[in-house]
Amino acid sequence: MKKFSILLILGAALSGIVSCDLTTVPEDSITPDRYFNSAVSLEQWLNNCYTQFDGYSIMEIEADDMLDQGFTAFFSGSRLPSTESWSWSMLRRINYFLEHSDICPDKEAVAYYNALAKFHRAYFYFEKVKRYGDIMWYDKVIGSTDNDLLYKARDDRGFVVDKMLEDLDEAIAGLAGTPKNERSTNVTEWVALALKARITLFEGTFRKYRGMADADKYLEACADACDKIIRSGRFSLYNTGDTPYRDIFSMDPVPAGETILARSYNAGLNFYHSFTRDMLGTRTGLTWRFVTHYLTKTGDRITDLPGYNSQSFAESFNNRDPRMAQTIWGPGARDYTGHNLSEAFNMTALTGYYPLKFQTDVVNNTNRDEDIMLIRYPEILLAYAEAKAELGQLEQDDVEVSINVIRERAGMPKFNKDYAKSNPDELLSGYYPNVKLIHPSDYGLILEIRRERTVELVMEGHRQWDLIRWKEGPAIDNSKNPFYGVYLGGPGIFDLDGDGIKDFEIYTTAKSGTVSKTFKLDEEIFLSDDGHVIAFKDNRFVFDENRDYLWPIPAAQRALCGGVLTQNPGWDDGLTF
């Protein structure tokens, strides 16, 4: 889906580090002394920072697990230094606040909102580090004559991450125990701890899979942050009804025990999302590669099943991890109003696997205002298990308080650490080849944790970043790993869900005239030699491992500072410095 965004406030045309959005003092009639004089004013100023949490973006990052009819710039390899831009106005807003908040006479409010501002600054910088790596750290408002700061070089990513963690530690302490800790849409000490876990897991694994220093330092910080959240006893998984996993993505309000942070929507205020409509319009589909991550309901691997690679669509749902039928629109599925969706079975989805997750009412599929969970408790449980495993410290007791809590809710057998370690899944090993290189003796354990993360957190905005931090970018290189979908075998007339209704026809020379939805083989639809749908057969993205894990530094910004900003490896912006 092409609306990929972490919502930032756009500055002027050149909204870079040397542009006006970092240096211009607001020119209005309200001076800082008159504005920052009450707790209400402090709150109002920082409310704008919540626009960084774009709930819509969680489903809009394609990777090897999900794709649609258009590619993001990352996915297609079309990122360019000449078109790359960045905005720093949010950072200026935060730093301006921190320099003036002490004007307020309510010092308790100042302490609270300063802590909140530190959280937002860490969040802002995490998005920058993920994309650009080394980046300039600023903790003050830059004046127009501060040339040393305006034209400074990039700081080492480790320095910046450590500064982010300092901010988060102050946020955790400053947000603790306040009345504002009750709503899932507010930033609390637990949200700050969860962001700390997310950042340190990213940085720790990013470094580990590239042989960089300090990987364990960040992984230990991740495990510690997760442990504090787990031991707090404040969070638990929603486990009511027959399909609790599916239900949590359509509840309004979202389940309090499972939600650490949510984004609120209100259709009455013209603030809504339209996931169902957009997934249909963009032909969103999950991939065969993703589907093969699901175990059977008894805990066996799909490769243990005879003929697993040639199961029909309907057969593939039999005896599988219950989350599969709660994530993918399969036989007998309905939305919450009881409606079926014929488009789920007629290859509207590019891969044939149409999402069920997040679907509420397919008839009234616009202006949805269910809140969206941005950080769920299962993310913390999985981060804890992954960090401990990457450190070589994962014990079965750790598994019981993390992965097995998730598996219990899913209705799956317990995860056994020793079995996973001694029985690696070679299918997954092929999906994640770097694991065996880094963990030659226990790669089976890491693979199983990745399996659990993949199926539990699918469509929640993690996958692309997971592949980046794991150094598994070639997973989206369809010159090596084609985007396979459902198994069809060959041309013919298909009743995909087995309900007795003909869904579509694939023909070679002439249509039968009995089915309305038709595709001509090798022109409108493509099949692999073994009979799987291939999406984007003739549209290739070759992942460059020496370049594509980082975004290019905007060429315009490099030009403005005369090359003080260095370019990321592999990107040619035409500049001679």
Side-chain angles (χ1 to χ4, degrees):
M1 300 176 192
K2 299 287 89 53
K3 295 183 224 112
F4 162 70
S5 62
I6 299 295
L7 200 56
L8 298 176
I9 305 302
L10 297 178
L14 288 178
S15 55
I17 202 60
V18 296
S19 67
C20 63
D21 68 354
L22 270 177
T23 62
T24 304
V25 175
E27 295 179 0
D28 53 37
S29 59
I30 301 179
T31 64
D33 286 345
R34 294 176 60 189
Y35 182 85
F36 293 104
N37 59 10
S38 71
V40 172
S41 295
L42 301 183
E43 180 179 23
Q44 289 175 341
W45 184 274
L46 289 182
N47 277 346
N48 182 270
C49 297
Y50 280 89
T51 60
Q52 294 189 102
F53 311 150
D54 182 13
Y56 220 112
S57 71
I58 65 173
M59 291 173 53
E60 297 170 354
I61 304 177
E62 297 102 331
D64 64 329
D65 61 339
M66 183 179 77
L67 47 92
D68 62 26
Q69 65 185 357
F71 286 159
T72 61
F74 170 81
F75 204 73
S76 64
S78 61
R79 291 173 291 172
L80 294 171
S82 59
T83 56
E84 182 72 14
S85 63
W86 56 21
S87 174
W88 294 76
S89 56
M90 182 63 73
L91 178 63
R92 184 193 180 280
R93 184 176 193 87
I94 294 165
N95 286 340
Y96 191 87
F97 175 90
L98 289 168
E99 289 188 9
H100 295 93
S101 60
D102 197 52
I103 293 171
C104 178
D106 185 343
K107 298 310 176 186
E108 183 177 350
V110 170
Y112 172 82
Y113 286 109
N114 279 356
L116 181 59
K118 295 289 182 72
F119 169 90
H120 284 298
R121 186 163 65 187
Y123 189 99
F124 171 88
Y125 263 109
F126 184 40
E127 297 304 317
K128 287 288 188 284
V129 169
K130 284 192 302 183
R131 286 168 174 77
Y132 304 110
D134 297 345
I135 199 73
M136 303 76 68
W137 172 262
Y138 294 103
D139 56 9
K140 60 170 290 185
V141 175
I142 303 173
S144 60
T145 60
D146 292 333
N147 289 336
D148 289 345
L149 294 176
L150 284 169
Y151 300 104
K152 71 175 289 188
R154 296 196 283 167
D155 290 303
D156 177 79
R157 65 180 294 147
F159 171 81
V160 176
V161 171
D162 288 345
K163 285 293 188 181
M164 291 155 53
L165 297 182
E166 288 178 15
D167 272 356
L168 285 175
D169 285 341
E170 291 186 34
I172 291 163
L175 296 173
T178 69
K180 294 182 180 293
N181 285 1
E182 300 305 319
R183 291 186 59 212
S184 60
T185 53
N186 284 337
V187 171
T188 69
E189 61 187 295
W190 307 106
V191 175
L193 260 174
L195 181 61
K196 183 176 182 180
R198 183 180 285 186
I199 290 171
T200 49
L201 182 67
F202 185 94
E203 190 65 15
T205 50
F206 187 95
R207 289 171 175 273
K208 182 154 193 171
Y209 285 91
R210 291 162 177 81
M212 298 168 62
D214 293 330
D216 285 358
K217 178 183 82 170
Y218 295 111
L219 291 170
E220 287 167 358
C222 175
D224 179 68
C226 294
D227 182 68
K228 288 176 180 175
I229 295 173
I230 293 169
R231 292 183 183 278
S232 74
R234 294 181 63 95
F235 301 97
S236 60
L237 301 195
Y238 177 82
N239 202 17
T240 300
D242 296 330
T243 57
Y245 177 77
R246 180 192 173 190
D247 295 346
I248 60 175
F249 300 103
S250 299
M251 295 174 64
D252 194 31
V254 292
E258 184 154 344
T259 307
I260 297 178
L261 178 66
R263 181 68 187 267
S264 181
Y265 290 85
N266 188 317
L269 297 177
N270 202 34
F271 186 52
Y272 53 82
H273 55 79
S274 306
F275 285 164
T276 303
R277 178 194 63 193
D278 294 338
M279 285 190 286
L280 281 173
T282 57
R283 301 187 66 194
T284 301
L286 297 154
T287 65
W288 169 248
R289 182 185 176 106
F290 164 70
V291 170
T292 58
H293 280 73
Y294 285 109
L295 297 168
T296 70
K297 193 170 184 178
T298 54
D300 296 319
R301 294 156 182 172
I302 188 173
T303 49
D304 296 330
L305 301 177
Y308 81 92
N309 201 41
S310 58
Q311 286 185 327
S312 71
F313 176 84
E315 290 172 342
S316 69
F317 283 82
N318 293 338
N319 195 36
R320 297 293 285 279
D321 180 332
R323 284 172 294 186
M324 179 174 167
Q326 296 176 55
T327 301
I328 303 170
W329 205 300
R334 297 289 187 274
D335 71 9
Y336 284 94
T337 65
H339 290 105
N340 194 3
L341 183 67
S342 61
E343 291 92 336
F345 307 115
N346 67 7
M347 294 304 301
T348 292
L350 285 171
T351 62
Y353 292 113
Y354 186 76
L356 179 64
K357 190 170 176 177
F358 291 105
Q359 302 285 0
T360 51
D361 185 344
V362 299
V363 175
N364 299 306
N365 60 10
T366 61
N367 299 8
R368 308 304 305 175
D369 62 0
E370 296 87 359
D371 291 352
I372 300 297
M373 291 179 286
L374 302 180
I375 306 178
R376 287 196 297 131
Y377 186 45
E379 179 188 342
I380 300 304
L381 300 179
L382 291 163
Y384 178 71
E386 184 178 350
K388 297 286 277 188
E390 291 287 357
L391 289 164
Q393 300 173 0
L394 186 70
E395 302 295 340
Q396 189 62 33
D397 286 346
D398 300 318
V399 172
E400 296 302 328
V401 300
S402 58
I403 292 177
N404 281 340
V405 173
I406 296 172
R407 285 205 173 185
E408 181 180 9
R409 195 260 296 276
M412 288 292 291
K414 284 192 170 185
F415 180 98
N416 183 280
K417 174 186 77 74
D418 294 332
Y419 179 83
K421 182 176 179 179
S422 59
N423 295 274
D425 184 341
E426 295 307 326
L427 181 67
L428 292 190
S429 184
Y431 292 165
Y432 309 104
N434 284 333
V435 176
K436 193 172 183 178
L437 298 176
I438 302 299
H439 296 275
S441 62
D442 61 351
Y443 68 99
L445 179 59
I446 304 295
L447 291 174
E448 291 303 322
I449 293 171
R450 291 191 182 183
R451 181 201 304 279
E452 199 65 32
R453 182 177 178 90
T454 299
V455 301
E456 176 68 25
L457 300 181
V458 65
M459 298 174 64
E460 295 180 50
H462 297 281
R463 184 64 174 182
Q464 184 186 99
W465 299 114
D466 285 347
L467 295 177
I468 287 174
R469 66 187 178 87
W470 293 332
K471 204 173 184 288
E472 297 290 1
I476 61 170
D477 186 334
N478 68 340
S479 67
K480 300 174 182 175
N481 300 297
F483 304 133
Y484 290 147
V486 299
Y487 174 80
L488 298 176
I493 297 174
F494 297 91
D495 171 13
L496 206 62
D497 59 334
D499 65 353
I501 299 173
K502 298 175 182 178
D503 295 311
F504 62 94
E505 177 183 10
I506 299 177
Y507 67 96
T508 54
T509 56
K511 304 176 185 179
S512 68
T514 63
V515 186
S516 59
K517 188 73 175 283
T518 62
F519 301 92
K520 187 170 184 178
L521 185 63
D522 294 330
E523 288 187 11
E524 298 172 302
I525 198 167
F526 299 91
L527 299 179
S528 65
D529 291 341
D530 61 2
H532 284 266
V533 168
I534 306 178
F536 296 111
K537 181 178 182 294
D538 296 323
N539 192 340
R540 297 300 177 93
F541 170 36
V542 179
F543 190 89
D544 185 342
E545 289 235 61
N546 297 315
R547 184 194 70 175
D548 289 332
Y549 287 113
L550 293 174
W551 273 245
I553 301 298
Q557 302 308 314
R558 296 220 316 118
L560 281 171
C561 68
V564 174
L565 290 180
T566 56
Q567 186 55 270
N568 276 328
W571 295 102
D572 182 6
D573 55 18
L575 299 175
T576 58
F577 39 71

